[in-house]
Amino acid sequence: MRPDPGNPPHQAGRSSAQVRAWCLYDWANSAFATTITAAVLPPFFAAAATRSMPAHLATARWGYASALAMLFAAVLGPVVGSAADRLGRRKPLLLACVLIGSLATIAMALVPGQEWRGLLAAFGVAFIAFATGNVLYDSLLPAVAAPGEMHRVSARGFAYGYFGGGLLLAINLAWILFPRRFGLADAEAASRLSFASVAVWWLLFSIPLFRRVPEPRREQEAAPARPGALALLRGVVETARGLPRHPERFRFLVAFWLYSDGIGTVIKMATVYGTEAGIGRADLIGALLMVQILAAPASLAFGRLARPLGPQRAVALGLAGYVGVTVLGFFLSKPIHFWALAALVAMVQGGTQALSRSMFASLVPRRQMGELFGFYSVSEKMAGVVGPLAFGLVAQWSGAGRFAVLTLLPFFVAGGWLLLTVDLERGARRAME
């Protein structure tokens, strides 16, 4: 990879090995996003919870738990990011997140069958660790990619994630559909083994990042020895108050909050809603596996689209696809409908997320990369609070998840419109001042 002559000297040492190591973390943690968050855990939880409550209440409780976990992650993200900037120790903090998340994921495999509360508690801890780790991981993007390469490298990371998450999901699907062939008692035992496999996968494929991706030297050299908790909180509050003084960055965050509300809710609620609509487990997991297969090349294609179209227009194109997903989701009633919706999601999901990450990185000063990616995470996680909460409330009040799907439509439309008003070039110039 050709170094950017305008970068600090330490960045000239970027290598393809560092890029691959950074991308492999997407491969590692995407197993959590696919098997745990999207595919296997939601129907597993629904099956456990519906032993003691109606299906629509199980859907609502999953939505509430997702919202609460998102809220904790949103509060924690900027504080951990600020500590990473001040200490210059992003990788050790990321390692702590990986270890905590892996242990909590294994705990899901050990929760007794009818203890749905324990299942939600273990999921909450694991998800908070997963989300906080992503703050630190995303903030390392400029350490491995020159400014002109960030869109492409970010898209490549998402492609790795879809390939890796899809590969483990395929293995998990085989276990669940044919448990006896693998020496497992039934689909429940296979699901529990799937949870444990995610923990091992996440930990194992994180190792290259810790070995090869460098800590950004500028933050290490400028960092105080040991910032106190009060100083960290004060700094986060000051940064939050100062966000409106950077209009392009602030407008981007609001736009991202709006459309991420829809994207995050689609990811978290799709299989629970599908279960309520009568879609079988094999179709649910199989369609999500197809998403992983199709989304990897689609993410790479979006990375290339960013050059001729510009990243904003490329993301707006993806959001138009999500508008179609929302409208069509209202009429979901057959397995073929779920497969069609999954195919449409696969075409737009990774690209919109990858280009959003790289656009924000271009708007952030290097000295505040961790802290401001914490606020990027807040924007994403607060969207994840509002979306599942609204989905759960409408599902509970209406007695059906069908009407809850329509609550997502305004977020895609408003977020896309606001994104197109952001002047990325002016925001990037201000970030370099």
Side-chain angles (χ1 to χ4, degrees), residues 60-81:
R61 293 193 194 285
W62 177 259
Y64 299 152
S66 296
L68 186 61
M70 282 282 193
L71 181 60
F72 274 103
V75 171
L76 194 59
V79 177
V80 173

Side-chain angles (χ1 to χ4, degrees), residues 7 9 60 87 97 130 132 135 155 168 183 206 208 217 239 247 253 270 287 336 385 397 414:
N7 288 331
L87 293 169
C97 291
F130 165 78
T132 305
V135 171
L168 185 60
S206 298
R217 295 180 187 173
T239 300
L253 282 173
I336 189 63
V385 171
W397 290 340

Side-chain angles (χ1 to χ4, degrees), residues 290-315:
M290 181 193 67
V291 169
Q292 300 301 116
I293 295 170
L294 295 181
S299 297
L300 294 173
F302 261 86
R304 294 187 178 94
L305 273 178
R307 190 174 297 273
L309 289 184
Q312 290 159 285
R313 291 188 181 91
V315 170

Side-chain angles (χ1 to χ4, degrees), residues 117-312:
R117 292 180 181 84
L119 198 62
L120 287 183
F123 166 73
V125 172
F127 182 84
I128 292 167
F130 165 78
T132 305
N134 279 343
V135 171
L136 302 164
Y137 165 64
D138 290 345
S139 72
L140 289 169
L141 175 58
V144 298
E149 294 292 318
M150 282 198 292
H151 297 314
R152 185 184 63 82
V153 172
S154 182
R156 183 177 170 185
F158 268 89
Y160 271 52
Y162 282 115
F163 276 125
L167 177 59
L168 185 60
L169 182 59
I171 295 170
N172 296 155
L173 177 59
W175 291 346
I176 292 167
L177 293 179
F178 311 104
R180 297 295 178 88
R181 294 186 184 181
F182 297 94
L184 300 169
D186 50 27
E188 179 178 340
S191 296
R192 293 179 182 278
L193 181 60
S194 297
F195 302 154
S197 72
V198 168
V200 174
W201 186 278
W202 186 0
L203 184 59
L204 179 65
F205 288 107
S206 298
I207 293 173
L209 181 145
F210 298 115
R211 293 187 60 193
R212 294 186 177 275
V213 174
E215 289 279 2
R217 295 180 187 173
R218 182 181 296 175
E219 284 80 4
Q220 285 181 322
E221 294 165 358
R226 189 179 295 276
L230 186 59
L232 286 176
L233 291 173
R234 186 180 296 117
V236 168
V237 171
E238 291 175 358
T239 300
R241 288 176 177 173
L243 286 175
R245 293 198 293 269
H246 302 273
E248 306 306 324
R249 188 189 306 156
F250 183 67
R251 191 179 299 118
F252 177 89
L253 282 173
V254 175
F256 181 68
W257 174 78
L258 287 167
Y259 64 77
S260 286
D261 190 289
I263 294 174
T265 306
V266 167
I267 293 171
K268 290 173 182 60
M269 303 303 295
T271 51
V272 171
Y273 173 54
T275 299
E276 180 189 335
I279 311 300
R281 176 178 291 184
D283 285 303
L284 291 174
I285 300 179
L288 290 173
L289 177 59
M290 181 193 67
V291 169
Q292 300 301 116
I293 295 170
L294 295 181
S299 297
L300 294 173
F302 261 86
R304 294 187 178 94
L305 273 178
R307 190 174 297 273
L309 289 184
Q312 290 159 285

